[in-house]
Structures are given as C-alpha cells and as structure tokens.
C-alpha cells in the first residue's frame, strides 16, 4: 500500500446536494449497490436514465428478448427469503418477467425513493482539492459525492452505425435497445432488420411470425444453439429452492458463477468421429445452450477441436434450413464457435423456411444507404415500412466513456483509454480516485453470470469503502504500474484462448476506431475473486490510499 497526504478539504456544502455515494444506473447491480451501501448508513443517490428499474431488462424490450442463463441462477442471491418466494414461470425468462422481478426487488427493499429517474448522468468531474466527485445529469441535477459506483452497464451504450441517409427514412425505425413501450405491429408491413447477433436472432424469430415480409440483413452469421426453453416444472423449482444455499455456494466458486452439473468428456480427439457425433447429438438434445460448449474440454482451447464442434453445428443448420443456398449463408465459417457470445434460439433457423422471410447477405453486398423508402445495398434496393437496428453496443467501455468523466488534472477518461481501457482489477482507473466500476473492462463481467458477479463486485466496493472510512482514509486510487501489471496478466490469459480469432465486441472490433483489445478478464470469476482478495490482504497493494487530513489532524 502507498499512502499519500494531500489536502482533502470539503467543498462548500451550501451549494449542490451532497451524498456519500452516487450509484449510476438502476439495473441489477445498481439496485443491489443501493441496498448494500444503505446498510452501511451511507447517503446514497442513484441516477437512472430510464423511467424504471431493470437496466438491460428495462431497455431491451424488443420482441423475443429473453435471457440465456437459467432464471433460477440468473437472479439475486443476497436474500434467501427473496429467492424462496419468487417464482420464475420458465427456465429462461422473457424480458417482461425480468423487468417485473427488478420492480419487485425495488419495492420489496424500498429502493425506489433513492432513485432519480429520467436522469442520465452526462458529467462526472473529480474535484482534486475537495476530494469529491461532481455528478451532473442531462436534466440538471448536481450532486457532490465522495464515491461513485458506476453500475452503468456493460451492454448499455447503443451502437447505431453511421448509415448514410438514416435520418431520411420516412418509415418507423428503432434500435432494439431503445424499443418503445407501446406495442409495435408488424402485420402487413415490410420489415427490415439489420444484425444477426443474439438480439437479431431473437427478434427475427419473433417478428418473422407476423411480419408481412421480413428482410434480415446479415453481415456475419451466428452460431446458435437450441435454448430448450419450457415452463419451469414444479419439482425442478422445489429442488432448487431446497438446495439454494449449497448451489449458490458452488456457483460462487466456479469460473462463470454458474451451476454446471454436466459431464465433460475430455478432449474431442479422445473419441472416434462416430463417438463424437453421438456425444454431440446427445448434448444438442439435452444441454441448455451454453452448457453445450462444455461438452468437450478443449473446444475453447484448440482450433482443431473447436472446428469439430463448429462443423457439427453447421450440419444442424443444413438439416434445418430447406434452401441449401440460404443454409450455407447462415453457416458461420469465419470464426471459432464460442469466440463471439454464443446465441440461443427457439426456432431461428426454421424462420428462414417461412415464405415471408428473406435472408440478405450484406457481407458480399454491403449496405450503401438508407433511403426515404427503404434500404439500398450494392446489389439492390428493398422497400421497407419499418427498419430495426439490432446492431449491438459500444460494449463494456461505452457507458463509461459516454459519461464525460474527468479525473485528476482534468484527464478525460476517453483520452486515457484512447489506446486501451487500462485499469486495475477491473475496479479502478488510475487518476480517477474513489470511482468503482461494476462489470467494467478488466473484470470477468460479461463472461460470467452477471447478477451474481455484480453482487460480488458491489460487495467488494462496499467493503473497501467501509475499510477506508474505518481507518481514516479519504480516497483510494491505483497506479499506472498496477494497471500495466493487470493488463499483462489479462493479455497472457487471453492469448491462451481462441477469443482473439473473432472480430467481436469483446475486443471492441464492432465499433470503428475503438482500440482492439480483449477487454474481459478471462481467468474466471473464481480466480478473479482470489486476485482481488490478495491485493486487499497485502495491504491494498497496487492502490494508493490517501489519509483524511481532517480526521488525522
Ligand atoms: O449485438 P452484437 P447484440 N452493417 O454486437 C451487425 C447480449 N445479449 O445486441 O458481426 C451490417 O452481438 C453485426 O454484424 P458483424 C449478449 O451478450 C444477450 O445482438 O459486426 N451489420 C452483428 O450481426 C450479446 O452478445 C441476449 O458483422 C452490422 C449485429 O449487428 C450482446 O448482448 C440477448 C453493422 C450486432 O450483434 C450483444 O448482442 C441479446 C453494419 N454497419 C443480447 N453493424 C440473451 O441473453 C453491426 N452489424 C439471449
């Protein structure tokens, strides 16, 4: 631990409202942060851009939006009464049920009164002299706080590609993550949908059922597995509830914070081609989505092993899709399976057997412009009444860099991260004291089950805040050296995996000009927790703690 002793006088408090902590975002992590920090008797204010709670599950209300982790797991663990009383109707919940759950939690724990809704944070400024953060919102709030917990979301900052002519489109258009609350009708309409990631697949499947005609503009095909979603049987729910404590404990100890009671079969190459196919067929039929990738131990470690699994999935696509040309276009061939977030679907490939659905290859014939009446590619023109952008997010860093954050010496976070989003332990950025990121770059965030991961990160930040207060420290920062060490540790682990072989949002490749860098800590949540714990137990090694002069004088 390094300690410094700089002036930490308080700014005049007669001006803006003051708080101990400002939480940015009332998604699942933000709600838990409110709950947890309030227990420390801190004054906490939460700013939320939307008019309701739920974060991702508030914004992404497009048709077909559904989680890809079982709801018995993808839910809060902090309160046993909550997890015993809440009932999930299906294995994988639709958006409405997740938003309903977030609202229930906000009401049950009385969190709503501390949340300022319709208040998008558009400025975070560190005042070095006072040792305080100034937080401003688009609607004019100004709060001065000691700490920030940025629970602003890893998949929050919308990516709207710079399509020429988008503003000229005379029909209705929506990005899937800013979907209107009012029902959008597709009946009798010519609908265009750009993007075939997890969102595009789910939306296509649902919209294809009712659209007059649906054109799906695909640049890169996705690997997708059957979700095998269905109503949650009562005995399954009962069994989970009886064993919740043990299962949560088991989940908290593993790589992805998931409950993974499935057999792994060793290397793909331990088996003959016939045996592999038999094992994969069984997994395809029985394993819910993501567990399929765990069938063999080397799928995510060896290109050759990965290709066996990838080709099995292509075989399934060719079986399902009747038109062989369309099937071939839907087969992903340019990146290993699992190196972009694997999708889960309920009839996506079957959708392309419908007469009212057309797949358009915009890899060979790129989109050139949006016109007042539709969309033009280098090969043709499509008349549309409704256009949907399922074009993803400026992931992991976007929600932070778009907030206009300045730290010590007025350093702008965007400039600091121009080459790569350096930080220490995925929690803190050097020169931006007292700002804790949740699910930010450098953390396992999106590669683990995010509700439980968020709970753990919030707990860590809350424990640190408590520790600082107890020991008379005013601020915590980290150092460039610590950041470099963490970056090297992350890069070394990422280099051993296949993730570098895909142009994914994990590496920022989906945003023009974004530095290409594997932003996620890939060592697993179990190892991540150990590493964070080690740094604290070694006396906050890698951090700089500054004494509160008023308390030591
Ligand atoms: O976004 P994406 P998403 N011209 O970035 C295409 C989570 N999630 O919202 O691949 C044409 O994956 C782009 O093409 P390409 C999950 O973690 C979870 O679908 O860049 N196309 C791609 O096809 C997921 O990974 C759930 O060539 C353009 C698509 O748009 C993450 O959110 C559900 C284009 C974007 O795909 C993001 O998923 C939904 C252009 N200019 C989301 N620009 C579940 O829990 C982009 N594209 C199930």
């Amino acid at each position: 631990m390094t300690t410094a002793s700089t002036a930490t006088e308080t700014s005049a408090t007669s001006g803006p409202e003051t708080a101990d902590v400002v939480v940015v975002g009332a998604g699942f992590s933000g709600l838990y942060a409110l709950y947890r920090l309030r227990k420390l008797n801190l004054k906490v204010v939460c700013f939320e851009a939307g008019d309701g709670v739920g974060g991702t599950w508030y914004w992404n209300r497009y048709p077909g939006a559904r989680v890809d982790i079982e709801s018995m797991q993808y839910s809060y663990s902090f309160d046993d009464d909550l997890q015993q009383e809440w009932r999930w109707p299906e294995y994988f919940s639709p958006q409405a049920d997740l938003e309903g759950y977030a609202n229930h939690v906000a009401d049950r724990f009385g969190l709503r009164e501390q949340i300022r809704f319709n208040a998008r944070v558009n400025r975070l400024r560190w005042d070095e002299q006072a040792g305080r953060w100034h937080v401003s919102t688009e609607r004019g709030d100004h709060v001065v706080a000691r700490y920030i917990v940025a629970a602003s979301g890893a998949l929050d900052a919308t990516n709207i590609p710079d399509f020429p002519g988008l503003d000229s489109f005379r029909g209705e258009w929506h990005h899937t993550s800013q979907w209107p609350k009012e029902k959008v009708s597709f009946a009798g309409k010519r609908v265009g949908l750009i993007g075939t990631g997890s969102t595009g697949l789910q939306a296509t499947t649902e919209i294809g059922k009712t659209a007059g005609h649906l054109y799906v503009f695909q640049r890169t095909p996705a690997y997708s597995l059957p979700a095998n979603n269905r109503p949650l049987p009562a005995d399954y729910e009962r069994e989970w509830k009886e064993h919740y404590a043990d299962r949560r404990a088991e989940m908290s100890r593993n790589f992805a914070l998931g409950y993974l009671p499935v057999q792994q079969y060793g290397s793909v190459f331990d088996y003959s081609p016939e045996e592999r196919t038999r094992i994969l067929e069984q997994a395809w039929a029985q394993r819910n989505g993501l567990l399929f990738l765990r069938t063999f131990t080397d799928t995510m470690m060896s290109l050759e092993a990965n290709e066996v699994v990838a080709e099995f999935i292509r075989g399934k696509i060719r079986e399902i899709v009747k038109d062989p040309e369309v099937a071939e276009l839907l087969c992903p061939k340019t990146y290993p399976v699992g190196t972009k977030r694997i999708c889960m679907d309920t009839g996506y490939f079957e959708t392309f057997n419908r007469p009212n659905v057309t797949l358009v290859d915009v890899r060979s014939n790129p989109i050139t412009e949006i016109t007042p009446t539709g969309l033009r590619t280098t090969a043709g023109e499509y008349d549309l009444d409704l256009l949907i952008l399922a074009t993803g997010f400026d992931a992991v860093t976007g929600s932070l860099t778009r907030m206009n954050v300045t730290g010590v010496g007025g350093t702008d976070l965007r400039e600091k991260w121009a080459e790569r989003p350096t930080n220490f332990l995925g929690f803190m950025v050097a020169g931006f004291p007292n700002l804790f990121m949740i699910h930010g770059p450098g953390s396992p965030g999106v590669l683990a089950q995010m509700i439980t991961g968020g709970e753990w990160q919030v707990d860590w930040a809350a424990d640190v805040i408590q520790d600082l207060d107890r020991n008379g420290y005013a601020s915590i920062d980290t150092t460039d050296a610590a950041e470099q060490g963490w970056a090297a540790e992350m890069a070394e682990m990422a280099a051993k995996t296949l993730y570098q072989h895909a142009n994914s949002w994990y590496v920022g490749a989906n945003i023009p000009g974004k530095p290409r860098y594997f932003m996620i800590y890939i060592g697993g949540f179990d190892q991540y927790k150990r590493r964070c714990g080690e740094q604290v137990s070694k006396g906050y090694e890698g951090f700089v703690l500054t004494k509160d002069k008023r308390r030591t004088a």
Side-chain angles (χ1 to χ4, degrees):
M1 169 176 81
T2 314
T3 61
S5 207
T6 54
T8 55
E9 283 138 63
T10 343
S11 59
T13 46
S14 53
E17 180 185 356
T18 59
D20 293 307
V21 189
V22 163
V23 173
V24 184
F28 281 89
S29 297
L31 286 178
Y32 179 63
L34 264 180
Y35 169 85
R36 178 70 169 77
L37 292 163
R38 215 177 46 179
K39 279 186 172 278
L40 300 181
N41 289 324
L42 296 171
K43 181 181 176 196
V44 190
V45 171
C46 174
F47 288 118
E48 165 55 49
D51 68 4
V53 297
T56 284
W57 301 107
Y58 167 89
W59 293 103
N60 289 270
R61 50 184 74 240
Y62 60 84
R66 186 179 289 280
V67 71
D68 61 2
I69 296 175
E70 282 191 26
S71 292
M72 293 307 288
Q73 303 180 38
Y74 187 82
S75 46
Y76 286 118
S77 64
F78 70 86
D79 186 279
D80 191 49
D81 290 342
L82 171 68
Q83 68 183 4
Q84 290 297 334
E85 76 197 16
W86 186 258
R87 302 205 61 186
W88 295 106
E90 297 173 63
Y91 276 89
F92 299 98
S93 295
Q95 175 271 335
D97 287 359
L98 286 153
E99 191 189 10
Y101 176 67
N103 275 287
H104 171 75
V105 170
D107 292 334
R108 191 185 191 286
F109 296 99
L111 304 174
R112 225 175 266 283
E113 66 258 30
Q114 279 155 286
I115 307 173
R116 316 271 164 93
F117 291 102
N118 298 306
R120 182 178 290 282
V121 172
N122 63 355
R123 184 88 175 93
L124 281 179
R125 180 177 67 81
W126 175 248
D127 175 347
E128 254 168 284
Q129 289 307 311
R132 295 288 186 271
W133 281 100
H134 286 252
V135 186
S136 310
T137 70
E138 276 176 3
R139 64 168 203 185
D141 305 83
H142 181 189
V143 172
V144 179
R146 291 157 60 210
Y147 297 101
I148 304 292
V149 173
S152 43
L155 294 163
D156 171 76
T158 301
N159 172 35
I160 298 181
D162 191 13
F163 293 120
L166 183 57
D167 288 344
S168 74
F169 184 59
R170 287 205 291 265
E172 201 180 326
W173 75 266
H174 305 288
H175 189 283
T176 43
S177 75
Q178 293 172 351
W179 199 260
K181 285 186 178 166
E182 305 71 45
K183 190 171 160 47
V184 176
S185 166
F186 308 102
K189 290 186 184 155
R190 296 160 302 179
V191 182
L193 185 149
I194 305 174
T196 50
S198 299
T199 302
L201 264 64
Q202 291 183 329
T204 292
T205 310
E206 205 51 36
I207 295 168
K209 292 175 186 167
T210 57
H213 200 95
L214 172 64
Y215 296 92
V216 179
F217 298 96
Q218 171 189 272
R219 190 165 66 180
T220 310
Y223 293 97
S224 186
L225 308 170
N228 294 327
N229 185 39
R230 54 206 184 280
L232 198 70
D235 53 347
Y236 187 84
E237 179 186 350
R238 198 176 324 110
E239 200 214 346
W240 258 91
K241 289 187 172 175
E242 275 168 16
H243 298 101
Y244 243 137
D246 294 343
R247 291 191 182 171
R248 291 285 191 199
E250 193 177 328
M251 285 161 66
S252 77
R253 284 193 294 270
N254 77 24
F255 180 91
L257 301 177
Y259 183 62
L260 311 168
V262 291
Q263 182 184 354
Q264 280 200 296
Y265 287 85
S267 165
V268 169
F269 300 112
D270 293 343
Y271 299 90
S272 69
E274 294 72 32
E275 284 171 326
R276 283 174 208 159
T277 307
R278 185 184 50 77
I279 292 168
L280 286 169
E281 282 289 357
Q282 223 173 35
W284 182 268
Q286 290 170 3
R287 295 192 171 192
N288 285 332
L290 299 168
L291 294 182
F292 178 83
L293 283 183
R294 291 179 55 84
T295 305
F296 295 110
T297 47
D298 48 0
T299 307
M300 296 306 295
M301 305 304 284
S302 136
L303 276 177
E304 294 72 28
N306 188 284
E307 179 54 22
V308 171
V309 178
E311 187 51 29
F312 175 85
I313 297 174
R314 288 182 212 119
K316 287 289 175 195
I317 297 171
R318 292 179 188 119
E319 268 173 32
I320 297 168
V321 180
K322 291 186 181 134
D323 180 328
E325 270 182 46
V326 176
E328 225 37 50
L329 271 179
L330 286 166
C331 283
K333 293 173 189 160
T334 54
Y335 61 98
V337 58
T339 54
K340 287 184 172 197
R341 172 73 173 208
I342 189 98
C343 303
M344 278 175 37
D345 73 270
T346 306
Y348 171 68
F349 295 114
E350 289 84 346
T351 301
F352 293 93
N353 294 330
R354 299 179 67 103
N356 65 329
V357 178
T358 303
L359 182 69
V360 182
D361 172 17
V362 295
R363 168 72 62 194
S364 311
N365 302 298
I367 297 167
T368 51
E369 65 175 319
I370 309 296
T371 68
T373 54
L375 181 154
R376 191 173 289 141
T377 72
T378 53
E381 201 158 340
Y382 299 84
D383 287 335
L384 303 173
D385 304 304
L386 180 57
L387 179 62
I388 299 168
L389 305 187
T391 45
F393 303 90
D394 179 358
V396 185
T397 54
S399 70
L400 293 154
T401 53
R402 290 181 188 190
M403 248 187 307
N404 199 8
V405 188
T406 52
V408 173
T411 301
D412 191 312
L413 186 64
R414 277 168 301 204
E415 282 166 27
K416 162 118 190 179
W417 281 356
E419 287 184 17
R420 66 181 185 193
T422 47
N423 63 80
F424 187 46
L425 299 179
F427 270 114
M428 301 213 76
V429 182
F432 295 79
N434 291 9
L435 188 158
F436 297 95
M437 301 183 294
I438 308 298
H439 295 318
S443 76
V446 293
L447 290 183
Q449 194 262 92
M450 294 186 79
I451 296 186
T452 308
E455 284 178 295
W456 189 85
Q457 282 202 298
V458 166
D459 281 341
W460 192 90
D463 287 347
V464 170
I465 289 172
Q466 195 177 21
D467 218 13
L468 296 184
D469 281 359
R470 206 185 282 137
N471 293 298
Y473 289 103
S475 71
I476 179 166
D477 198 348
T478 184
T479 65
D480 290 343
E483 289 188 333
Q484 281 158 24
W486 190 242
E489 203 172 318
M490 283 180 49
E492 194 188 326
M493 286 183 293
K496 290 183 194 146
T497 72
L498 303 182
Y499 284 94
Q500 304 289 348
H501 295 275
N503 290 324
S504 66
W505 56 259
Y506 295 143
V507 296
N510 64 327
I511 303 294
K514 189 164 175 173
R516 194 170 171 145
Y517 176 74
F518 194 78
M519 296 183 283
I520 328 290
Y521 179 86
I522 189 108
F525 221 97
D526 42 357
Q527 190 171 324
Y528 175 72
K529 289 201 302 197
R530 189 177 51 73
R531 290 289 291 106
C532 293
E534 271 168 18
Q535 298 306 127
V536 173
S537 60
K538 285 186 206 156
Y540 286 95
E541 194 174 80
F543 291 97
V544 182
L545 307 192
T546 303
K547 278 280 179 192
D548 186 341
K549 271 201 155 175
R550 287 158 305 160
R551 290 179 56 179
T552 50

